[in-house]
Structures are given as C-alpha cells and as structure tokens.
Amino acid sequence: MLYGLIICTITVIIMSTVNIGLEFGKLDTEVFLIILKSFPIILIIAMLLEVLVIGRIAEKLVHTFSDNTDGFNAKILFTIFFTVIGMSLIMTVIGGMLGKGISPDSFGSLSHWPRNFSIALFCELLIAQPPARFVMKKLHLRQEDKLDYDFD
C-alpha cells in the first residue's frame, strides 16, 4: 500500500500540474490552488482505480505476455507499461470530467491521451518508481534488522 501511495502521489502531482497548467496556459498562484484543491480527489480516484481495476488487469496481462523464465525486472517493466496504459487512458477521461463536467465534451480529452501516456510512462519509470523502491528497500532492511535482533 505504501509503495502504491508513493507512486500515485508523485504521478498525480506531476500529471495534475501538467494537465491543469496546459488547460489554463499558465502556472500561477490561482492554478496552483486549483491543483492543490483537486489533488486529494484525484489521488483517491487514482489509488482506487489502480488497486481495484487497473492493477488486476495489468497482473493478468503480465501473466499472459510473460513466461516463468522471465526475470523480475522484465515483469516489473511489463507491469509498469500495462498499468500506465490503463491509468493514463482512464485518468485522461476522468480528468476531463473533473474539469469540464460529465458531458460528451469530456471524452474529447481523449485526444490528450498520447501526451499523458508518454509523460506518465516517463514519470513512472524515472521519477516515481526510484523513490518508492528506495523507501520499500529501507523498510524491508529495517524489518530484517529487527527480525535478526529478535533472534539474538
């Protein structure tokens, strides 16, 4: 849960800033307040979607497109790729609905999906994953040290 929260938080901050900033054509105090106000809603939506829908679909796709002999890194890359495809597609539509209301116009935001996918994939691979992995590695090391200490 912590791992997903870190990744979602970083990705939501970046994607919200990019999309809302591009919608307004600037990044000023007013736009940052809109981003700040929308952040908790978007984060909750993204977390629920990833855990309940997209993550499960991504796992099935990884199982379908990978083999038991594939390494951990290959499976992680597949998982990231499939998750980013699904999340960027759905969040592009949801973002349009949050910004413009639920109407046929909100599906017009799908034209932004290729940009959102590219930014989200870059963000996921190079910005969000490294700190999340670092935190999890430190957490696991601390748990191992505590376990080793308990046995001594």
Side-chain angles (χ1 to χ4, degrees), residues 59 62-75 78:
E59 285 177 21
V62 168
H63 182 71
T64 301
F65 289 102
S66 65
D67 195 74
N68 290 339
T69 59
D70 288 338
F72 175 77
N73 290 333
K75 290 182 180 187
F78 268 139

Side-chain angles (χ1 to χ4, degrees), residues 7-17 39 42-43 46 91:
I7 291 171
C8 268
T9 300
I10 293 169
T11 305
V12 165
I13 289 170
I14 291 170
M15 295 306 297
S16 297
T17 303
F39 172 75
I42 297 170
L43 181 63
M91 290 304 292

Side-chain angles (χ1 to χ4, degrees), residues 38-102:
S38 65
F39 172 75
I41 296 164
I42 297 170
L43 181 63
I44 290 168
I45 291 169
M47 285 291 297
L48 289 173
L49 270 173
E50 199 283 323
V51 170
L52 300 174
V53 180
I54 302 300
R56 293 176 182 191
I57 294 170
E59 285 177 21
K60 288 179 182 177
L61 290 170
V62 168
H63 182 71
T64 301
F65 289 102
S66 65
D67 195 74
N68 290 339
T69 59
D70 288 338
F72 175 77
N73 290 333
K75 290 182 180 187
I76 287 293
L77 192 58
F78 268 139
T79 303
I80 292 169
F81 182 71
F82 293 133
T83 302
V84 170
I85 286 174
M87 289 297 291
S88 62
L89 186 60
I90 292 174
M91 290 304 292
T92 297
V93 173
I94 290 173
M97 289 178 179
L98 290 174
K100 299 174 184 170
I102 299 174

